[in-house]
């Protein structure tokens, strides 16, 4: 169920989502944005099913590292670069981004059919922005009570970033088949 960006998600048995521009049609295109606790369905267990359908789970930080090393042409799975924070890799983002829909020609190759679209994010202050420019994905690896790991893809970068941010932020979610 879509809620307005200025509302907080609650543990109420309903999967709530934010949509870019607070418009349901934007969720149909970009997908929903979720706070970390809502995505996790109010548990802290890494790799939990959370809001994913049966047979799927929320990827851990380590599973994202495997994805990044698999799709990057310069840094394979297990390379120490994937253990660093910040922008890293060579072309992992380029190879995961969709071939259209990115601001100012920042489209990807679609090489692995992952088809990332730039759904933007919801700030912990309630503003939803940067659709068309950024894609952010939560991992199920929570750093502490307030912060969790995420990945960021940007329209003018071919590499990918790994940071922690406040769990009240709204990001996209990708599920991983068990």
């Amino acid at each position: 169920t879509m809620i307005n960006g200025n509302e907080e998600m609650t543990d109420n048995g309903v999967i709530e989502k934010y949509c870019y521009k607070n418009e349901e049609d934007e969720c149909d295109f970009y997908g929903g944005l979720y706070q970390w606790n809502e995505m996790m369905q109010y548990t802290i267990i890494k790799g939990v099913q959370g809001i994913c359908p049966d047979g799927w789970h929320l990827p851990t930080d380590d599973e994202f590292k495997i994805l990044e090393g698999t799709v990057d042409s310069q840094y394979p799975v297990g390379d120490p670069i994937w253990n660093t924070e910040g922008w890293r890799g060579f072309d992992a983002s380029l190879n995961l981004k969709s071939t259209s829909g990115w601001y100012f020609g920042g489209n990807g190759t679609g090489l692995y059919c992952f088809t990332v679209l730039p759904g933007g994010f919801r700030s912990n202050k309630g503003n939803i922005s940067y659709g068309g420019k950024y894609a952010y994905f939560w991992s199920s690896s929570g750093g502490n009570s307030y912060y969790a790991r995420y990945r960021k893809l940007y329209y003018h970068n071919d590499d990918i970033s790994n940071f922690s941010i406040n769990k009240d932020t709204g990001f996209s979610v990708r599920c991983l088949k068990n």
Side-chain angles (χ1 to χ4, degrees):
T1 300
M2 187 190 107
I3 64 172
N4 197 302
N6 62 3
E7 298 177 52
E8 296 299 318
M9 295 180 170
T10 59
D11 186 5
N12 59 7
V14 174
I15 297 175
E16 298 166 324
K17 65 183 176 184
Y18 302 114
C19 299
Y20 181 57
K21 298 181 184 176
N22 285 314
E23 295 178 13
E24 186 76 39
D25 289 350
E26 297 292 335
C27 273
D28 293 342
F29 184 73
Y30 290 121
L33 304 172
Y34 305 87
Q35 290 178 332
W36 192 84
N37 286 319
E38 183 77 8
M39 170 199 75
M40 296 288 290
Q41 289 295 276
Y42 302 90
T43 184
I44 59 170
I45 301 168
K46 292 179 188 177
V48 70
Q49 178 181 342
I51 64 170
C52 296
D54 288 340
W56 297 74
H57 69 274
L58 297 164
T60 65
D61 194 57
D62 287 337
E63 288 171 325
F64 266 112
K65 291 175 187 178
I66 292 168
L67 171 66
E68 293 161 337
T70 299
V71 302
D72 197 273
S73 67
Q74 301 295 311
Y75 301 98
V77 173
D79 192 287
I81 198 164
W82 302 119
N83 293 323
T84 62
E85 188 171 86
W87 291 98
R88 71 263 174 83
F90 179 71
D91 58 2
S93 177
L94 177 70
N95 293 329
L96 293 174
K97 289 190 288 186
S98 62
T99 58
S100 64
W102 288 79
Y103 178 76
F104 206 60
N107 300 318
T109 63
L111 190 61
Y112 291 90
C113 299
F114 199 71
T115 320
V116 170
L117 289 169
F121 75 100
R122 183 246 186 208
S123 75
N124 64 348
K125 305 262 190 248
N127 301 316
I128 300 173
S129 54
Y130 293 111
K133 294 182 180 180
Y134 295 93
Y136 299 84
F137 293 98
W138 284 121
S139 83
S140 62
S141 301
N144 61 38
S145 299
Y146 303 103
Y147 296 95
R149 305 300 303 170
Y150 74 94
R151 295 306 189 277
K152 176 169 122 177
L153 293 78
Y154 189 41
Y155 75 93
H156 69 66
N157 284 51
D158 292 342
D159 51 356
I160 196 164
S161 74
N162 172 28
F163 289 103
S164 291
I165 198 165
N166 186 297
K167 292 179 178 180
D168 289 339
T169 306
F171 286 160
S172 298
V173 174
R174 280 291 176 108
C175 299
L176 185 60
K177 194 165 186 156
N178 295 341

